[in-house]
């Protein structure tokens, strides 16, 4: 696996980060462990999880501990914690995951944002201890705030995160789903307080972009302003989540089923999908693989977080590392 520097720290992380969101839910322990073994044996070291993955799966039997539990057990058995760059998140856990489903057993998504635990000092203090216990470790390499919390003063969040760094429980801090204005503000406040700055930002980023002006809810999709800010601040590592927009690039049928497809259903994206179709056929790769290879060539440099529901998808996606796109093909794809 190719490695790259994490921001300006001198530390090396793998070019793909492994998204462990569905381990312990969609994927059972054995399948998850096989994927983790393959990824690390191929030289990957960067794992992404959160303290809420993945409560929404199943029909009420999961609470959000599942992914961290799988990783903790695997690292303990493999005795490889020191070889892993481990990222988890706080703030997106639900106050009560048993209380969010309707009579039909389906999560009531409209109520979810109001049920997040948020980013108060108390939530973060408890969140880190619970994550460390599940992950069977005494430190997290990268600790993210998962979603914006308008109810907690940002100073409170940044100060407690800084204390966790001082205590050695967290090595680097990052944020997810912030607008560029929120990210700038947080970093300015950190400078003023003399505390740690966010040095990783995890946002949705793929080849297709949402239509201008659509409501993306709590999701922040990377835009030109964010790219400009990140380019000007090389200490920040951009992490791309949902790089395949739930696997839509191989299949029209999957696009139709994608719950957010209406946000992406534009003439511009139809044109881009034609390019994906043409180039992937020419290269003998899948559309999903092509998009991952394209993400690996973007500036500012970013790290795609691989998503998958089974081992076959993981194998297909990781193989994108071997695809070389020419400058001409990149120009044809555009941004
Ligand atoms: N910070 C945040 O708010 C946030 C949000 C989301 C994710 N994340 C992180 O980012 C990681 C990746 O996100 P994601 O799961 O949304 O990524 P994604 O790659 O956009 O979507 C993954 C889904 O796409 C489908 N898929 C993947 N590979 C495929 C393939 N080769 N062929 C056909 N379908 C394929 C599968 O869905 P089907 O089951 O339908 O086949 C799979 O579960 C997560 O594991 C998590 O760590 C972070």
């Amino acid at each position: 696996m190719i490695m790259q520097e994490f921001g300006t720290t001198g530390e090396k992380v793998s070019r793909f980060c492994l998204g462990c969101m569905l381990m312990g839910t969609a994927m059972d322990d054995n399948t998850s462990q096989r994927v983790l073994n393959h990824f690390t044996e191929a030289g990957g070291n960067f794992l992404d999880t959160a303290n809420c993955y993945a409560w929404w799966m199943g029909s009420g039997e999961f609470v959000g501990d599942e992914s961290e539990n799988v990783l903790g057990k695997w690292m303990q058995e493999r005795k490889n914690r020191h070889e892993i760059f481990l990222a988890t998140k706080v703030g997106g856990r639900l106050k009560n995951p048993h209380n969010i489903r309707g009579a039909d057993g389906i999560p009531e998504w409209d109520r979810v944002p109001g049920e997040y635990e948020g980013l108060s000092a108390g939530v973060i203090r408890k969140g880190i201890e619970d994550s460390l216990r599940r992950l069977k470790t005494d430190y997290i390499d990268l600790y993210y705030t998962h979603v914006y919390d308008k109810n907690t003063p940002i100073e409170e969040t940044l100060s407690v995160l800084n204390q966790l760094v001082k205590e050695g429980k967290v090595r680097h801090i990052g944020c997810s789903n912030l607008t560029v204005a929120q990210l700038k503000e947080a970093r300015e406040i950190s400078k003023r307080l003399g505390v740690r700055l966010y040095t990783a930002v995890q946002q949705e980023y793929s080849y297709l972009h949402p239509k201008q002006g659509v409501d993306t809810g709590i999701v922040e999709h990377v835009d030109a302003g964010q790219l400009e800010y990140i380019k000007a601040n090389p200490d920040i590592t951009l992490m791309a989540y949902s790089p395949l927009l739930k696997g839509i690039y191989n299949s029209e049928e999957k696009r139709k089923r994608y719950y957010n497809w209406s946000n992406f259903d534009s003439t511009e994206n139809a044109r881009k999908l034609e390019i994906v179709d043409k180039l992937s056929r020419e290269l003998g790769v899948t559309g999903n693989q092509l998009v991952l290879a394209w993400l690996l060539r973007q500036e500012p440099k970013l790290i795609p977080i691989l998503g998958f529901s089974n081992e076959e998808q993981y194998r297909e996606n990781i193989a994108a590392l071997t695809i070389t796109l020419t400058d001409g093909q990149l120009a044809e794809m555009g941004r």
Side-chain angles (χ1 to χ4, degrees), residues 19 21 48 53 176-177 202 242 245-246 254 309 313 317:
M21 184 166 80
D48 186 77
Y53 291 164
S176 185
N177 298 307
Q202 186 174 136
S242 299
L245 300 175
K246 309 297 178 189
K254 246 188 167 145
S309 302
Q313 289 175 353
N317 298 348

Side-chain angles (χ1 to χ4, degrees), residues 36-318:
L36 288 161
N37 289 342
H38 182 275
F39 182 72
T40 46
E41 281 157 17
N45 69 344
F46 201 165
L47 305 184
D48 186 77
T49 184
N51 72 345
C52 61
Y53 291 164
W55 66 261
W56 57 91
M57 301 297 289
S59 48
E61 66 272 40
F62 301 126
V63 294
D65 294 352
E66 293 75 17
S67 166
E68 287 189 337
N69 277 337
V70 167
L71 296 186
K73 187 164 170 250
W74 174 76
M75 288 187 295
Q76 188 176 60
E77 282 173 11
R78 299 276 294 198
K79 298 187 178 45
N80 64 356
R81 170 67 188 94
H82 59 288
E83 294 168 359
I84 302 296
F85 193 88
L86 182 61
T88 192
K89 317 184 191 80
V90 65
R93 193 177 171 93
L94 299 191
K95 290 173 201 153
N96 182 359
H98 299 297
N99 193 21
I100 197 73
R101 291 173 190 261
D104 54 2
I106 295 171
E108 293 177 348
W109 289 103
D110 290 354
R111 288 206 295 122
V112 167
E115 290 300 308
Y116 288 139
E117 285 188 331
L119 296 170
S120 68
V123 165
I124 292 177
R125 276 276 166 210
K126 179 167 185 325
I128 187 76
E129 295 308 327
D130 289 346
S131 285
L132 291 173
R133 178 174 40 76
R134 286 190 288 269
L135 288 161
K136 302 190 196 308
T137 182
D138 52 10
Y139 69 98
I140 303 297
D141 295 288
L142 172 58
Y143 201 43
Y144 291 99
T145 56
H146 203 155
V147 282
Y148 184 68
D149 175 9
K150 63 179 185 328
N151 298 316
T152 302
I154 180 84
E155 289 82 355
E156 178 178 332
T157 302
L158 293 169
S159 297
V160 70
L161 290 173
N162 193 57
Q163 281 161 19
L164 298 184
V165 175
K166 280 191 176 161
E167 291 164 19
K169 292 179 175 169
V170 165
R171 298 184 57 242
H172 304 283
I173 62 168
C175 54
S176 185
N177 298 307
L178 294 195
T179 63
V180 67
Q182 289 162 345
L183 173 63
K184 275 186 198 169
E185 185 195 9
R187 285 179 39 106
E188 286 310 314
I189 292 174
S190 291
K191 285 180 198 162
R192 185 160 47 73
L193 296 175
V195 299
R196 275 297 187 105
L197 271 67
Y198 288 138
T199 51
V201 54
Q202 186 174 136
Q203 312 283 63
E204 183 181 85
Y205 191 18
S206 188
Y207 178 52
L208 302 190
H209 307 306
K211 291 183 277 190
Q212 205 109 44
V214 291
D215 180 5
T216 55
I218 63 115
V219 170
E220 269 305 316
H221 191 96
V222 170
D223 60 19
Q226 292 182 24
L227 291 177
E228 200 181 308
Y229 182 71
I230 288 162
K231 214 172 198 166
N233 292 275
D235 61 316
I236 301 177
T237 299
L238 174 59
M239 304 293 301
Y241 79 70
S242 299
L244 298 179
L245 300 175
K246 309 297 178 189
I248 60 163
Y249 293 99
N250 291 356
S251 141
E252 165 102 47
E253 188 241 320
K254 246 188 167 145
R255 287 197 277 283
K256 284 191 186 139
R257 272 198 287 128
Y258 175 37
Y259 52 86
N260 269 341
W261 180 242
S262 59
N263 287 350
F264 292 88
D265 191 7
S266 65
T267 316
E268 167 64 3
N269 284 338
R271 189 191 60 78
K272 286 172 108 178
L273 285 169
E274 278 173 20
I275 298 173
V276 169
D277 203 40
K278 172 180 164 280
L279 271 183
S280 55
R281 272 191 278 112
E282 277 170 24
L283 287 162
V285 301
T286 67
N288 287 324
Q289 288 177 319
L290 177 69
V291 166
L292 290 170
W294 175 86
L295 281 166
L296 288 174
R297 294 288 302 277
Q298 295 309 292
E299 288 292 335
K301 223 169 180 172
L302 58 91
I303 300 184
I305 310 176
L306 293 183
F308 43 87
S309 302
N310 55 48
E311 193 174 352
E312 200 185 346
Q313 289 175 353
Y314 158 76
R315 295 262 181 183
E316 178 182 328
N317 298 348
I318 189 101

